[in-house]
Structure formats: C-alpha cells, structure tokens
Amino acid sequence: MKKFIPIAEPLFDGNELKYLTDCIETGWISSIGSYVTRFETEFASYIGCKYGVAVHTGTAALHLALAALRVGPGDEVIIPDLTFAATANAVLYTGARPVLVDVEKDTWNIRPEAIRQAITDRTKAVIPVHLYGHPCDMDEIMKVAREHGLFVIEDAAEAHGAEYKGKRVGSFGTISCFSFFGNKTITTGEGGICLSDDEALLERIAKLRDHGMNKDKKYWHDEAGFNYRMTNLQAAVGVAQLERIDWFVNRKREIARLYNQYLADVKNIVLPMEKDWAKNTYWMYTFLLKTGQSQISRDDLIDALKREGIDSRPVFYPLHSMPPYEVAGRFVNAEAISEAGLSLPSSPTLRKEEIREIAEVLKRQVKGR
Ligand SMILES: Cc1ncc(COP(=O)(O)O)c(C=O)c1O
C-alpha cells in the first residue's frame, strides 16, 4: 500500500466554507455571533436537551460542568480507570480527587457496581464516559446516583449520536459534555459543549465561561471565572457539520460494519461489541488482540501496520498507571483492554476498498506467524 491512511481526518464537504466566509465578511469572528447561538440550540435539540453552552474544548466543558456544580477541594468524583486523561484532568483542576474504578469487560465502560462500591461521604459526582461511542449502562448509573444523591456528568466526547435504549447519550445526566476536536464524529477544530435541562445551571456555566461576569452588569465579576468561550468561526464549522450529523454517524456505523465483516473470521481478535440496548457510533473502530494466542504483540502490530502505510492507535493507558493519577490496586479489565486494544483508521472519508485492504493487511499480520 503506497499511500498513508491516517487514523482520522475531518471531512468538510457541506456549508463549512460558506459559513466561515460569512463570519469573515461580516467581521463576527470572535465569541459573539449568530453561529454560536445556533450551534448551541441545534446541538442541544439534536441530543434531546433543552439548553447548551458552547466552549472552546471538551476539556473546558468538563471543567465548567464540575465548577458549576461547585465540586471542589475535599470532594471526590468517581470516573472510569479507562478513559482519555481529560476526564481526570478536569476533576483535578477543581481541586477534587478523581476516584478511579474499573470498567466492564465487554462494553469497556464504567461498571455501575464499581461506582456503588467506591462511594464515600465525600463523593459528589460520577462521570460515566461513553468510550469509543458505546453507551454506558445509564439506567443502572442513574439509579446508583439517585440513591446516593450524586450528580452525573456524562462525558460524551466520543459518542455523538450514540443511543441508550433509543435515547441519545448526553440526555441522561445532570450535565453532559461533548468534544468537537478534529478527530471527533463532527468537529469544530477544537471545541466542546455543555448540555442540560437545568436552565439555572447552564446560566451559571455561561457565566463561568465568560470570566464569571454578571450578564446584566458589564465588567462586574460575581466570581472568578474562565475564558472558555467558543468562537463564531468554530461554531460556523459546527453548524455546517451538524447539518450532516446523521450522515457522519451512519458513516461510522457503516465503517464498523465493513470492518466487522472483513475481520469476522480472524480467530485471535475480539471485535467491538454492541449491546442489544445500544446504538454504538464507533467513534474509532477498536478491537482487542487476544493476548497469548496471537503470535504478534499489539505494539508490533502497530509497527507492522505502519510499515504498510496504515495508521493505528493503542487504547488509552489505564489512568491509575500514570504519575498524575497513580493509585495502587488492580483494575483488571481496564488493564487487559488497554494492553490488547487497537484502533484502526475510522475517517468518514475512508473508501470500502481501503477498509478491505486494511483488514487484509491485519489478517496477514495476525495469522501469518
Ligand atoms: C473521553 C474524552 N473526554 C474528554 C475529551 C476532551 O476533549 P477535548 O480534546 O476537546 O478537550 C476527549 C477527547 O479528546 C475524550 O476522548
């Protein structure tokens, strides 16, 4: 294979350029502008929430959600051991302690029972992460949260359009957060959003996004906030992407269907799963290489694919194994998934031929040793 197939590349074949040009021509390039409001309203409505506040990254969305709920020093926030570090970093920014728990073996998402076991008097919130586009078991999580009076902040950065029992993820928690980084299902370059049905809470998030400034009294700061605003330029791209979100989500599912089909007979791998109550939107197509049974290690497979012009990514390291979040103890499922997991190219631009070629190369590497 001659050309290099990246793990993810964005696709801008809708109104992105038109709306961006509109921003430039009208001069509305900063954070005041009609596209920001449109993006907030339309994305909230797509997910099934009443309100949205757009911010400049998904990490900022998580931080603001926690700050708005007044999570701070002395508090504990339960998060999965297996997630991108932003989930934990946002908790650390507030001065609270992230409490790590193990994930489920099959969905790779936080285990509701593990949440229950980790609750203490200090627990204030839980952040379920819909990893790689597979929804968490929200009924169970909401039940535990209700029983213990916890806030639920959904980290849906990787799960645009995913559904739990027919309802879109991001519509269950007290607040939900999404990312629109360049590799996400729809993108604004960098970007994020907080969604909620609680108007007062979202007003507080909007205030904290803008330095804590009182919205009725210019330059009067009720508290020290942040500058986490999304620009009208980002939102212009977002509005255009959102017009085609169903197409993007269907593409992700089609890419997964093709990989599943081409890789179905490979014995040494575990294909990504979809619970019968779930709509997985396969943000990154990710599978497990069965340790011990395959002749090639996961990391050698990454190198072998690279030599053939195919980009891939290992699954995240378990948080507990890295210095900023280190804790003792075993997180058996997170460790096993992290060691064996590999993501394959998942761009909306991928052609069927390319997916078949990638699968062929992978099969040769996994089988032929
Ligand atoms: C699970 C998860 N949470 C949070 C983030 C943070 O989003 P951002 O990169 O937009 O800050 C990401 C992605 O990058 C993510 O994958």
Side-chain angles (χ1 to χ4, degrees), residues 66 71 76-77 79 86-98 127:
L66 290 157
V71 171
E76 293 177 353
V77 179
I79 65 171
T87 319
N89 289 344
V91 177
L92 290 174
Y93 300 161
T94 67
R97 191 167 79 86
I127 310 184

Side-chain angles (χ1 to χ4, degrees), residues 56-62 83-87 129-132 155-158 178-181 183-184 190-192 283 316:
H56 70 193
T57 59
T59 310
L62 287 166
T83 176
F84 180 59
T87 319
V129 181
H130 308 289
L131 207 68
Y132 294 110
D155 183 342
E158 303 178 358
F178 288 80
S179 163
F180 304 108
F181 180 64
N183 66 12
K184 294 301 185 291
E190 295 274 5
W283 164 59
F316 309 116

